[in-house]
């Protein structure tokens, strides 16, 4: 079961420059664990001891996972995950 | 309606039903037309209140200089208020914003310092903080961390919405400084806590996320996630599509960020309708489309328009 994960420019050093990679897992946590297997180093840029890093936003089909179930959010085959750094608006 | 001065006319904006975009008579969308403010954007509320609060705190003297990082609308609002109250304004603005913003800022007497496109508003904030440190006599009101920004919406936008739409179930607005969502969110938490507060966050082109390090990210000091029910990221294609629908179907000529907000509002409306719920969904029309005509957002196909606004700070 492959889930599309869109990777921001700043993290593409870990994905060989790929904008989008496939990962497996039935929760966001499992997907990130799987990403780390194939793209070593990326996991540590996304997570710290407390969970998702403060300036990392992750969206499941455009919805911020912090307002779903965080790392426990269920993901399925039709889903797309987008990772973006937090930036200023206004 | 009569007011003693332009500044007193800030707010009191109309709430307009959208009978044709609403999915049914049970699930209704309502547009709050913030483009009806003096400089044509929702930011007039925050700008006026930040200056009035700074005056009340004794931070401002006649002729003093204000400094603000802004992608445009807040700067334009501050420039208008500053001119009325006798202050100078210096705006730090990313270079990848529409030409109309520069023209309007100049017209209202502001001085513009540009910051690099890469990094978007993050860079503007960084440059402004550096300038503030070098020029201690300048006053940076700092919209991202100034409680008077959110308070403006607690005191005006929230009460206006509840008064015009007592049956409100959802409020949707853009997430930039977070001031609108925090102020209105807090108002409803205190006065009608079952109202869902939904954030629509613009997703820009890659250049805007061009940080050197993920730890250089930025979260406005005003942001309190506990006030939000959900938060959606909306890309330029959806934002443009909805901006045009709003014009074609309901006749409202809005800026591109409003399209992103409408996209989130329509998603909520669809879900409510499918679940057989009754919903009254109010959303913010941040500004009119005038300032974005030069971007090409309203011409040609949606895909052509998307290419034209790629790399621009369109919200």
């Amino acid at each position: 079961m492959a889930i599309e994960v869109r990777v921001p420019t700043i993290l593409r050093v870990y994905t060989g420059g790929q904008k989008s990679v496939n990962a497996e897992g039935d929760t966001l946590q499992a997907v990130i664990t799987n990403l780390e297997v194939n793209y070593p180093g990326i996991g540590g840029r996304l997570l710290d001891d407390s969970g998702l890093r403060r300036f990392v936003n992750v969206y499941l089909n455009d919805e911020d996972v912090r307002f779903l179930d965080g790392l426990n959010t269920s993901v399925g085959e039709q889903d797309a995950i987008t990772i973006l750094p937090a930036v200023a608006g206004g | 309606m009569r007011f003693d001065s332009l500044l007193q006319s800030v707010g009191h904006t109309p709430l307009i039903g959208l009978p044709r975009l609403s999915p049914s008579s049970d699930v209704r969308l309502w547009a709050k037309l913030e483009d009806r403010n003096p400089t044509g954007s929702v930011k007039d509320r925050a700008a006026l209140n930040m200056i009035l609060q700074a005056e009340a705190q004794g931070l401002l003297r006649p002729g003093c200089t204000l400094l603000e990082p802004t992608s445009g609308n807040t700067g334009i609002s501050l420039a208008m208020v500053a001119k009325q109250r006798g202050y100078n304004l210096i705006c730090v603005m990313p270079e990848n914003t529409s030409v109309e913003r520069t023209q309007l800022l100049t017209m209202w007497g502001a001085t513009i310092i540009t910051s690099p496109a890469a990094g978007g508003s993050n860079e503007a904030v960084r440059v402004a903080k550096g300038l503030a440190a070098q020029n201690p006599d300048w006053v940076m009101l700092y919209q991202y961390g100034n409680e008077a920004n959110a308070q403006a919406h607690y005191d005006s936008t929230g009460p206006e919405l509840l008064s015009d739409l007592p049956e409100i179930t959802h409020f949707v607005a853009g997430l930039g400084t977070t001031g609108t969502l925090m102020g209105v969110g807090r108002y409803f938490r205190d006065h009608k806590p079952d109202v869902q507060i939904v954030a629509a966050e613009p997703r820009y082109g890659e250049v805007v996320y061009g940080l050197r390090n993920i730890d250089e990210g930025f979260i406005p000091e005003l942001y309190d996630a506990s006030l939000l029910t959900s938060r959606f990221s909306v890309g330029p294609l959806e934002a443009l599509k909805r901006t045009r629908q709003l014009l074609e179907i309901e006749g409202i000529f809005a800026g591109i960020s409003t399209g992103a907000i409408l996209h989130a509002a329509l998603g909520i409306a669809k879900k409510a309708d499918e679940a057989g719920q009754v919903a009254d969904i109010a959303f913010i029309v941040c500004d009119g489309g005038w300032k974005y005509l030069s971007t090409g957002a309203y011409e040609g196909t949606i895909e052509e328009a998307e290419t034209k606004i790629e790399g621009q700070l369109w919200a």
Side-chain angles (χ1 to χ4, degrees):
Chain A
M1 190 174 78
I3 291 139
E4 185 194 1
V5 182
R6 294 173 198 145
V7 181
T9 324
I10 195 164
L11 295 179
R12 287 182 202 153
V13 287
Y14 300 103
T15 61
Q18 294 180 83
K19 288 183 179 186
S20 164
V21 297
N22 286 330
E24 295 186 4
D26 52 12
T27 63
L28 178 59
Q29 176 70 65
V31 167
I32 293 175
T33 304
N34 182 253
L35 279 178
E36 176 63 22
V37 172
N38 294 316
Y39 308 101
I42 197 167
R45 307 309 299 150
L46 301 177
L47 304 178
D48 58 22
D49 295 340
S50 60
L52 274 180
R53 279 180 177 270
R54 179 168 155 75
F55 293 121
V56 172
N57 290 334
V58 178
Y59 304 87
L60 177 71
N61 306 324
D62 297 338
E63 185 161 6
D64 186 332
V65 299
R66 287 192 173 92
F67 298 91
L68 298 169
D69 291 320
L71 289 172
N72 297 322
T73 302
S74 298
V75 295
E77 209 163 345
Q78 303 300 315
D79 291 331
I81 290 172
T82 304
I83 302 166
L84 284 177
V87 300
Chain B
M1 239 182 292
R2 169 175 154 169
F3 300 97
D4 287 339
S5 74
L6 182 67
L7 292 182
Q8 292 186 9
S9 77
V10 169
H12 322 284
T13 55
L15 188 68
I16 304 293
L18 304 184
R20 300 167 76 184
L21 276 173
S22 299
S24 73
S25 55
D26 278 343
V27 176
R28 298 184 295 180
L29 290 160
W30 301 89
K32 189 148 176 71
L33 300 190
E34 291 299 308
D35 61 309
R36 302 290 181 88
N37 279 300
T39 74
S41 95
V42 63
K43 299 295 189 183
D44 283 356
R45 295 182 190 257
L48 176 60
N49 201 43
M50 288 195 297
I51 287 184
L52 293 180
Q53 290 307 311
E55 285 176 348
Q57 291 161 15
L59 296 173
L60 303 181
R61 284 187 189 79
C64 81
T65 295
L66 305 177
L67 171 73
E68 189 66 26
T70 170
S71 58
N73 276 338
T74 302
I76 294 164
S77 297
L78 281 172
M80 181 275 291
V81 181
K83 205 168 172 66
Q84 299 290 309
R85 310 290 287 188
Y87 311 119
N88 305 306
L89 174 67
I90 299 172
C91 290
V92 180
M93 191 164 74
E95 60 190 349
N96 49 337
T97 53
S98 76
V99 63
E100 289 92 333
R101 297 191 183 204
T102 303
Q103 290 169 332
L104 286 162
L105 280 169
T106 307
M107 194 177 84
W108 261 295
T111 304
I112 301 164
I113 295 174
T114 54
S115 59
S121 294
N122 284 35
E123 276 298 313
V125 170
R126 197 199 323 272
V127 170
K129 283 181 173 171
L131 286 168
Q134 289 163 24
N135 298 276
D137 53 323
W138 293 357
V139 178
M140 181 156 80
L141 295 171
Y142 191 58
Q143 55 173 334
Y144 300 98
N146 190 325
E147 280 297 336
N149 171 358
Q151 191 64 34
H153 298 285
Y154 187 97
D155 293 339
S156 66
T157 321
E160 288 171 31
L161 283 162
L162 189 56
S163 162
D164 290 339
L165 190 65
E167 60 272 53
I168 184 170
T169 57
H170 297 75
F171 173 70
V172 192
L175 192 77
T177 68
T178 76
T180 311
L181 284 156
M182 296 301 106
V184 173
R186 205 165 281 135
Y187 178 80
F188 280 115
R189 190 179 65 185
D190 291 348
H191 295 91
K192 197 178 184 211
D194 54 336
V195 173
Q196 299 200 12
I197 307 295
V198 178
E201 178 186 12
R203 186 168 66 246
Y204 299 113
E206 293 190 352
V207 66
V208 175
Y209 299 96
L211 316 178
R212 284 177 286 273
N213 188 310
I214 203 124
D215 298 319
E216 291 177 4
F218 181 80
I219 298 170
E221 289 82 346
L222 289 177
Y223 184 59
D224 173 1
S226 76
L227 291 168
L228 299 183
T229 313
S230 50
R231 173 172 167 172
F232 295 93
S233 167
V234 185
L237 203 64
E238 290 76 21
L240 286 165
K241 188 175 128 193
R242 301 306 190 184
T243 304
R244 291 188 181 189
Q245 276 185 347
L246 190 58
L247 180 65
E248 284 159 18
I249 301 175
E250 299 283 1
I252 296 171
F253 177 44
I256 310 165
S257 63
T258 300
I261 297 168
L262 175 60
H263 184 70
L266 282 167
I268 291 160
K270 184 165 178 273
K271 266 190 215 163
D273 192 43
E274 285 166 0
Q277 292 163 349
V278 173
D280 280 282
I281 302 158
F283 69 95
I284 294 284
V285 171
C286 309
D287 58 7
W290 306 101
K291 280 192 296 282
Y292 310 93
L293 284 172
S294 73
T295 65
Y298 305 89
E299 298 161 72
T301 66
I302 297 276
E303 289 74 18
E304 284 164 1
E306 187 193 19
T307 307
K308 287 178 189 155
I309 68 165
E310 166 72 30
Q312 293 284 311
L313 284 176
W314 44 264

